[in-house]
Amino acid sequence: MTLETLLAAKAFIILIWFAVFFIAERIAMAATPPTSKARLFRNGGLWLLVLLLSPLIVAPITAWGVNQIIWVRPDWMAVGSASLAILAIDLLLLDIWTYWLHRAYHRVPLMWRLHEVHHRDEFLDTTSAVRFHIGEVVLSAMLRLIPITLLALPLSTVIIFETILLCSAIFHHSNVRIPTVVERVLSRFIVTPSIHWVHHHAIQQDTDSNYASFLSVWDRVFSSKSGTDRQLDMKIGVEGVEDQSFLRLILRPLMRNG
Ligand SMILES: [Zn+2]
């Protein structure tokens, strides 16, 4: 499969996945959404900015990083139909990387200024999964060059991981009603809405927990699992602050307070 085909497949899968959950959460909703549609435009605006700027900034960063790899993988590590185990290990390592990167976004004040834009959303649904400051998307792409160059990751593996990550984010931010028993079984393996909504609980202690993005095991392994159960009426957002207008969210990382 060529890189162009893989990129087209990524865009197609994400769009279909997003549409399915966007419709599903309107047919079978878990929590009652706010009547104001203002946040939908804010989240959509932030996504549009990422969609417009990513091909110009993020894609070249990743492509540049792949070209900086100074060691060549031996044949047995090459990703192909005969080495799916290698692909699985690469994806696992990228998932651990993403877990620690997410943790860093909460711990490092300058990184939190970017990530806070995502957390200021006061309700969660599929649109929250794509609500990120362009600065965070660019910084994440730059920092991901570390595992890419250290592991000599093929670009195809990075694209596959990005597809899994975004599909997972759309699912665990979504407001789809899922039978408790199904969610309980799923949550043992992957991050579900019941796990991730607690990460968005407007209580600092919960916000600084449940960092996993795809596999749920990392919060148990690295002792960051919250003991709080998701309540459908729990306050979503950042403790003590409110959401802001689109323009203020864009400028937010440059502001010290407010
Ligand atoms: Zn977070």
Side-chain angles (χ1 to χ4, degrees):
M1 195 183 277
T2 64
L3 274 181
E4 286 71 25
T5 317
L6 211 55
L7 280 170
K10 176 191 167 188
F12 181 74
I13 291 169
I14 289 169
L15 222 68
I16 298 291
W17 188 265
F18 181 86
V20 166
F21 279 90
F22 187 82
I23 295 166
E25 69 190 1
R26 274 152 186 81
I27 296 170
M29 61 182 69
T32 309
T35 44
S36 165
K37 299 281 180 276
R39 60 171 286 279
L40 291 180
F41 288 103
R42 270 198 295 273
N43 296 359
L46 286 162
W47 191 21
L48 194 64
L49 207 60
V50 168
L51 285 177
L52 290 173
L53 295 179
S54 281
L56 302 173
I57 309 174
V58 179
I61 289 173
T62 309
W64 178 83
V66 170
N67 285 326
Q68 304 312 307
I69 295 171
I70 50 172
W71 65 284
V72 179
R73 286 186 160 204
D75 282 349
W76 63 270
M77 276 184 78
V79 174
S81 54
S83 54
L84 278 178
I86 296 293
L87 174 64
I89 292 168
D90 285 342
L91 295 176
L92 211 65
L93 291 171
L94 278 174
D95 201 33
I96 296 176
W97 169 265
T98 307
Y99 166 88
W100 282 104
L101 183 65
H102 189 187
R103 221 166 145 156
Y105 270 112
H106 281 251
R107 285 276 169 254
V108 181
L110 278 174
M111 293 173 80
W112 173 247
R113 279 199 209 177
L114 292 167
H115 190 54
E116 192 193 11
V117 171
H118 173 67
H119 273 273
R120 284 218 180 196
D121 203 354
E122 292 173 343
F123 186 72
L124 287 179
D125 58 19
T126 48
T127 69
S128 314
V130 292
R131 172 192 164 122
F132 284 96
H133 194 281
I134 181 66
E136 178 174 349
V137 178
V138 171
L139 182 62
S140 298
M142 286 167 70
L143 293 173
R144 197 177 291 160
L145 296 185
I146 297 171
I148 288 175
T149 41
L150 285 180
L151 299 168
L153 288 176
L155 200 50
S156 56
T157 302
V158 180
I159 295 169
I160 292 171
F161 180 72
E162 284 174 346
T163 310
I164 294 172
L165 194 64
L166 197 47
C167 285
S168 173
I170 290 166
F171 168 63
H172 63 235
H173 284 94
S174 78
N175 185 30
V176 177
R177 193 168 61 238
I178 304 168
T180 312
V181 63
V182 175
E183 175 130 8
R184 199 174 299 147
V185 173
L186 279 178
S187 66
R188 284 188 201 155
F189 305 98
I190 60 169
V191 180
T192 58
S194 69
I195 294 175
H196 199 71
W197 278 51
V198 173
H199 179 67
H200 281 266
H201 188 197
I203 297 293
Q204 192 68 42
Q205 201 182 345
D206 281 337
T207 307
D208 293 338
S209 70
N210 293 8
Y211 296 109
S213 299
F214 175 49
L215 297 179
S216 58
V217 67
W218 310 128
D219 282 305
R220 299 195 288 275
V221 171
F222 301 119
S223 310
S224 53
K225 191 178 184 315
S226 168
T228 306
D229 285 329
R230 175 200 190 190
Q231 306 294 331
L232 289 176
D233 59 352
M234 72 200 317
K235 186 168 163 40
I236 298 294
V238 179
E239 187 173 353
V241 295
E242 292 182 343
D243 200 2
Q244 292 178 312
S245 68
F246 174 74
L247 198 63
R248 286 185 76 89
L249 287 172
I250 293 293
L251 298 173
R252 166 100 212 105
L254 305 172
M255 296 175 181
R256 201 159 272 278
N257 297 306

